[in-house]
Amino acid sequence: MKKPNFKIYLLTAACAFLYSCESNETETNLDSRAESEKFQIINVTKHDGKPFSTGASKSLTGKYVANPGGGVMMQAFYWDVPAGGNWWNTVNGKLTAWSNAGIGSVWLPPASKAQNGAFSMGYDPTDYFDFGDFNQNGTTETRFGSKAELVSLITKAHTENMQVYADIVINHNSGGQSEANPYTGTNTWTDFSGVASGKFKRSSHDFYKNSYGNNDEGAFGGFPDLCHANPYVQDWLWGRADGVAKYYKNTMKFDGWRFDYVKGFGAWVVNQWNTNVGGFSVGELWDSNVNTLEWWANNANSSVFDFACYYKMNDAFDGNNLNVLNDDMMWKRNPYKAVTFVANHDTDEIWSKMLAYAYILTHEGYPTIFYRDYEEWLDKTKLNNLIWIHNNKATGNTSILYTDNDEYIARRNGYNGNPGLVVYINNSDSWQERWIQTNWANTQIKDFTGNSGWYPTTQADKWVKIQCPPRGYSVWSINQ
């Protein structure tokens, strides 16, 4: 959801995200290392490092198969995408290229009719069953297009063996008619008895304050606050076969859910949705406290966006203090429930974005690519390279090998025969070199980003010297 006081960045700032990673340096003599250059692992994550099941990698046949590194999600929209009903077609036209790049899922904006009709981004929902096929709120199509175009998009994504996630807004509604409210003694905009689909009609009994209480966890923006304690609301949202969740999943063929503003209702709501309907789910719990994120994910039985990681990356890459990457994050607590991201439609604070993408695409968690970063603002070739590295090399748990203000080196320890990788991020203005300990003895390695031309061979004790370009990154693994 669009948040108040959203910080707007100029498009010209995109140039700040691009940098040169070319090297003209030559490899030094690895046998001349000093013992003083060796350093110890300073952090190891506490899980088994098994591969994720949220995505897939491209096979030689052009279809997806299970991959070692897990999935990559594309947020397939940004705030105020062009109006006019063509966005579903725009996304449809990009699916094959995204699929070829190794992206395994797409997250779409709220798809149903909202109060602002053809101009709405969908976060003010009126009729959950109007996907652009009813003349309602001043329009038939939504801002994004028609129901037929949405169905075509989902069908095409599935042809590419990609998953499609629906953005679900169930904290509040908008666009109802005024009615006398017996619980407030005033008129409120809570009469949704006239929704064009004729399904999930609502009244003041279905919104706080009502017979179930005065409020729940939180309201948003003055919109009528949907009462999830009401069995009628529960039934229509996730209970009945023709309700919202099962219609989205079984008729529209969505594969999963991004739950908007989950601070506004109890974690049990998402838990019940997931128990009754299934599919992948991730919650937007806007909180940098990793304890809060972990508590919600466990109680909701859902993944959660890793805002702890997001703000630590901002401090690290924009604040010139890579030591903070030693701090706790959701992906370190439970990578299977952590969705990592660099930017989204609500927040875009990180300037050193390529360093941040190098971080999330080499580390554990389920990384998300933001549409404008990929299609407009950053170097798509570099992002595709990082996606390939993620899908093919980013396996196993994580050992942080070295950090200081400007440098960060971590090792993915590999899994099930996959060798893993070493990622080196350099936020300084000059080339850097470090001795690090790998998991590979007497083995030639290379930088799979191409930013370094070195092809060093690890020593018998698995130590090797690697390098990293200024304001850049390198990713090392076995040369095979």
Side-chain angles (χ1 to χ4, degrees), residues 171-183:
N171 177 72
H172 53 270
N173 292 166
S174 186
Q177 301 301 305
S178 178
E179 65 175 340
N181 189 326
Y183 305 102

Side-chain angles (χ1 to χ4, degrees), residues 238-260:
W238 64 77
R240 55 193 291 163
D242 61 343
V244 175
K246 292 174 183 176
Y247 186 89
Y248 274 58
K249 186 172 189 290
N250 300 327
T251 301
M252 298 301 293
K253 305 300 183 183
F254 281 102
D255 304 288
W257 328 100
R258 180 266 186 189
F259 289 97
D260 180 68

Side-chain angles (χ1 to χ4, degrees), residues 113-119 130 134-142:
K113 188 68 61 63
Q115 180 179 6
N116 288 320
F119 302 101
D130 179 1
F134 295 103
N135 187 355
Q136 183 171 206
N137 292 353
T139 181
T140 298
E141 289 192 342
T142 67

Side-chain angles (χ1 to χ4, degrees), residues 45-54 68-70 280-282 297-298 301-304 306 330-340 364-366 395-397 412 415:
T45 54
K46 300 289 196 295
H47 48 84
D48 58 14
K50 293 179 181 178
F52 302 106
S53 60
T54 49
F280 171 80
S281 76
V282 57
N298 289 339
N301 189 27
S302 173
S303 296
V304 65
D306 195 346
M330 184 61 194
W331 72 259
K332 297 183 183 184
R333 295 282 185 95
N334 188 342
Y336 305 101
K337 290 186 175 180
V339 176
T340 52
E364 293 161 87
Y366 189 0
T395 62
N397 60 15
R412 293 294 299 276
Y415 179 78

